[in-house]
Amino acid sequence: MDPFSAAQQQEDDSAIDLTPMLDVVFIMLIFFIVTASFIKEAGIEVTRPEAETAYKQDKANIFIALSPTGEIWIDRKNVPVSQLKATITKLKAENPQGAVIIQADKDSKSKQLMQVMDAARDAGITDIAVATEAQE
């Protein structure tokens, strides 16, 4: 037997096969992507009003912000009232169990608040809350 072929055979036997490890990594990646809950932030900062009955909402994933100037922000985009229901319906389709949190600035108009609430109800969402700050 040739000494060089024996050394080559021993080197081939000691090689590490990374294929099973890569398969496990890809399966874990797919699992985390599928099970992740994505939160849609509003996109602007608002000064929320204070309330005595404020409490933490745990399962909210759709945040809608109302600016003092009457703008409506969803997912870091300014959304006109005409597209509000369609936008909320699309976000509800992504997470059917999600709740809507309306972050209305304390200087915003109640007209915009009612338009957002009506659009959310029309989109089939019944779990709607208005964000407030806890009174101290």
Side-chain angles (χ1 to χ4, degrees), residues 17-33:
D17 185 16
L18 296 177
T19 305
M21 184 183 72
L22 290 174
D23 289 343
V24 169
V25 169
F26 283 126
I27 289 171
M28 288 174 48
L29 178 66
I30 291 169
F31 173 77
F32 287 122
I33 289 173

Side-chain angles (χ1 to χ4, degrees), residues 12-62:
D12 288 342
D13 290 341
S14 66
I16 298 173
D17 185 16
L18 296 177
T19 305
M21 184 183 72
L22 290 174
D23 289 343
V24 169
V25 169
F26 283 126
I27 289 171
M28 288 174 48
L29 178 66
I30 291 169
F31 173 77
F32 287 122
I33 289 173
V34 169
T35 60
S37 174
F38 297 102
I39 296 174
K40 301 295 183 184
E41 294 289 335
I44 62 170
E45 289 293 321
V46 296
T47 305
R48 296 179 285 188
E50 292 183 353
E52 287 183 26
T53 58
Y55 66 93
K56 184 170 172 49
Q57 180 84 359
D58 290 329
K59 66 176 191 168
N61 71 334
I62 301 171

Side-chain angles (χ1 to χ4, degrees), residues 69-82:
T69 59
E71 296 173 325
I72 300 169
W73 289 81
I74 303 174
D75 197 18
R76 296 182 180 87
K77 296 179 193 111
N78 188 355
V79 178
V81 175
S82 61

Side-chain angles (χ1 to χ4, degrees), residues 49 66-72 81 84 102 104-119 121 130:
L66 302 177
S67 72
T69 59
E71 296 173 325
I72 300 169
V81 175
L84 192 56
I102 302 171
D105 191 277
K106 66 181 181 179
D107 295 326
S108 65
K109 306 267 188 269
S110 61
K111 177 182 177 182
Q112 281 83 21
L113 177 62
M114 296 312 298
Q115 287 173 329
V116 170
M117 291 177 77
D118 287 342
R121 286 189 188 113
V130 177

